[in-house]
Amino acid sequence: MPRIHPVNRVVSAGVATIALLAAWPAIIPARAAETACKTGTGGLSLPTGFCATIFADGIGHARQMAIAADGTLYVNTWSGRYYKNDTPPPGGFLVALRDTNGDGKADVTERFGESPAEGGHGGTGLALHQGAVFAESNDRIMRYPLKAGEVAPKAAGEVVVSGLPLTGDHPMHPFAITPKGDLLVDLGSATNACEVKNRVPGSPGNEPCTEKETRGGIWRYDANARNQTFSPAERYAAGIRNGEGIALDAQGRAFATQHGRDQLHEDWPKLYTAKQGFELPSEEVVELKQGADYGWPECYFDPAQKKLVLAPEYGGDGGRKVGLCADRQGPVAWFPAHWAPNDMKFYVGSGTEKAFPKAYRDGAFIAFHGSWNRAPGPQGGYSVVFQPFKDGKTAGDFIVFADGFAGAVKEPGRAEYRPSGLAVGPDGALYISDDVKGRIWRVTYTGGDPNAAVAAAPSPQAAPTASKKASPPEGMHPDAGRTVAALPVPKGATRDQVALGERIFHGEVAGATCGGCHGSDGKGSPVGADLTSGHWLWSDGSLAGIESTIANGVPEPKEHQNAMPPMGGVELSQADLKAVAAYVWALGQRRN
């Protein structure tokens, strides 16, 4: 009988998410690998027998990767509004990395491809095919031919396909290339659920959803052709909201991850509780089949019922109605909601001494970028998991294989690192990229047991802290020790209002989810504005202006990805509205 361990590190690919958070079936988490690794674990938490080196650092917002037979690693990096248009490293957005002395760290770095000076913004997708690097750049997928002996291509890039959509919520274009040259490109949705008004509470879905003609699916092109142009005609599979991780298994079957839709509770509070909002829907892995429809936007996957159900924008009633979803294609694996699966690679590595144990063969590693919208519950993801597969189907529970990326705070704006891309080297090493600081880890197995079982990483160890003083028996004021005590109070408000607003902002009162987008410190994230900068886009920054913005919402943001629904998507009372406006005003006066 399997032993149950108190640390929750494993979840079945086919079981309700939250029920398992209390007691996931378990492979016992391994001891920290650090003690067994001469090179350490690069700050990660890994199972026993696995080690990691920091292969490269500071290369830009590293997204997806591919590795050549000679061990050269190619990386696509990205810039633009998602990263607040910060300054990328000089040179092209594509990076070639090589380790010439075998110490697990790249000592050769060469950049190529379009630079900011040439109008480039980088991209996500990257693959190798027939002696060339294929990479996304803006609205195009480019081909850079490699000559023998080159680390980075010196030849100019050739346009494979252009005109790919860039607008809306998911402007990136991840892709994979099959051995025969099928170029499978993800075109993520422009909206959350094809609503008439994107992310606005109660807005119905467009019927029909004409967005699906050009978005929300996988398109197929010919990797061996040049100067192809995007059109609706090349759609290969539909109903995939954002399929960032496209991968082939050992038999050549194609699979894709899917980012599930957001804001069931915020947009439909009478149908979904706040708890259901962060439990639903599942993140998915689907097997790609030509002509199939995987449900978006009319359907979402409910892990408790293990089926697709009708979305509220299309007549759903909170999870009971199925309707047309009965004819849509469900996933082969599913995972906790909002974890954001950004890449996937099947482990089909060779039998070298660095290769992982046999139990990992043919399974899939998935990089979960991490959630922003699980408030008022804890954010999740920010890890790499391993999902066993056999013959195209899941073969057991998934485990958290690598953890500790985020550091102390799992939030988009405060996480130290966020897993984004994966690659498997010819020697069996696993590469993991981070798109916050541009770090890449190289994970190897040094345990020496090819028959070792799949094991989960231990929970990351928090840094030791001093013992806390005991609280007095009479208790303490609920705001004691909170940062709100140091904030200014706007004219016409009270400190108690600011304190209440802080609790609302963090989801402790009224079911609000402000901190999910704006960060628990209010300093923003890729999807929400920095409220501490004093830079106001929708008002003059006065208390009345902030209150009006919160009440009316921001349906068409100027600088960020996500619209803000009126009242933040919850039913705030007038007292709650005034309180959270007072807190946001106070944050805007703080400069640190």
Side-chain angles (χ1 to χ4, degrees), residues 180 182 184 218-221 233-238 240 254 287-294 329:
K180 69 176 184 178
D182 284 341
L184 301 174
I218 304 296
W219 264 246
R220 181 175 64 181
Y221 294 93
E234 292 82 36
R235 190 177 71 179
Y236 181 77
I240 299 176
E287 183 178 356
L288 294 178
K289 297 179 180 179
Q290 186 172 4
D293 189 315
Y294 297 89
Q329 186 76 36

Side-chain angles (χ1 to χ4, degrees), residues 91-350:
F93 282 98
L94 297 168
V95 187
L97 302 162
R98 182 178 287 179
D99 171 15
T100 63
N101 59 15
D103 65 352
K105 301 176 182 179
D107 47 60
V108 175
T109 301
E110 295 185 16
R111 306 185 78 93
F112 64 104
E114 292 180 325
S115 68
E118 298 166 313
H121 297 288
T124 290
L126 185 140
L128 297 175
H129 177 69
Q130 296 292 321
V133 180
F134 288 69
E136 172 196 2
S137 179
N138 298 355
D139 69 332
R140 288 160 283 123
I141 293 175
M142 304 291 293
R143 177 184 183 272
Y144 295 90
L146 272 166
K147 292 183 178 179
E150 287 184 336
V151 175
K154 301 298 187 294
E158 305 165 328
V159 176
V160 178
V161 59
S162 62
L164 301 173
L166 289 170
T167 58
D169 289 359
H170 303 115
M172 64 291 288
H173 309 108
F175 61 88
I177 303 176
T178 69
K180 69 176 184 178
D182 284 341
L183 175 63
L184 301 174
V185 186
D186 167 55
L187 298 182
S189 70
T191 61
N192 179 34
C194 202
E195 310 98 308
V196 173
K197 293 184 178 180
N198 188 32
R199 300 181 185 272
V200 172
S203 181
N206 284 292
E207 295 196 59
C209 177
T210 57
E211 181 184 336
K212 288 178 72 173
E213 296 174 6
T214 58
R215 306 293 288 269
I218 304 296
W219 264 246
R220 181 175 64 181
Y221 294 93
D222 183 356
N224 300 312
R226 305 290 174 268
N227 297 313
Q228 299 165 93
T229 304
F230 166 78
S231 78
E234 292 82 36
R235 190 177 71 179
Y236 181 77
I240 299 176
R241 180 174 173 270
N242 189 25
E244 287 214 29
I246 306 173
L248 307 178
D249 71 2
Q251 288 72 43
R253 289 176 287 243
F255 296 81
T257 62
Q258 174 163 209
H259 288 222
R261 53 93 37 94
D262 302 324
Q263 296 170 294
L264 283 170
H265 166 66
E266 289 87 347
D267 290 354
W268 304 92
K270 293 183 179 179
L271 295 178
Y272 300 91
T273 65
K275 184 170 181 284
Q276 288 176 308
F278 66 76
E279 290 177 353
L280 298 171
S282 292
E283 309 288 44
E284 304 174 39
V285 171
V286 300
E287 183 178 356
L288 294 178
K289 297 179 180 179
Q290 186 172 4
D293 189 315
Y294 297 89
W296 181 89
E298 300 92 348
C299 315
Y300 67 87
F301 191 82
D302 184 323
Q305 301 182 70
K306 302 180 184 178
K307 65 182 182 183
L308 292 168
V309 297
L310 205 59
E313 292 83 2
Y314 292 89
D317 57 0
R320 293 179 295 277
K321 288 185 181 179
V322 174
L324 57 78
C325 304
D327 297 322
R328 302 292 168 86
Q329 186 76 36
V332 297
W334 54 93
F335 307 88
H338 312 303
W339 276 21
N342 267 23
D343 201 5
M344 174 172 62
K345 290 291 187 295
F346 282 87
Y347 193 81
V348 292
S350 65

Side-chain angles (χ1 to χ4, degrees), residues 411-414 505-506 514-525 528-529 531:
E411 288 181 8
R414 299 178 67 189
F505 186 91
H506 291 99
C514 314
C517 289
H518 297 288
S520 63
D521 58 359
K523 293 185 178 180
S525 76
L531 301 176

Side-chain angles (χ1 to χ4, degrees), residues 487-494 496-505 512 514 531 536 539 541-552 564 567-568 572-589:
L487 292 177
V489 177
K491 186 177 181 179
T494 67
D496 282 346
Q497 277 184 308
V498 176
L500 172 60
E502 192 245 10
R503 293 196 293 276
I504 295 170
F505 186 91
C514 314
L531 301 176
W536 304 102
S539 77
S542 66
L543 181 61
I546 293 170
E547 185 176 324
S548 175
T549 301
I550 296 171
N552 296 324
M564 184 181 80
M567 297 293 193
L572 295 178
S573 67
Q574 285 300 306
D576 290 342
L577 171 61
K578 290 182 179 297
V580 77
Y583 176 67
V584 171
W585 180 93
L587 285 178
Q589 309 307 305

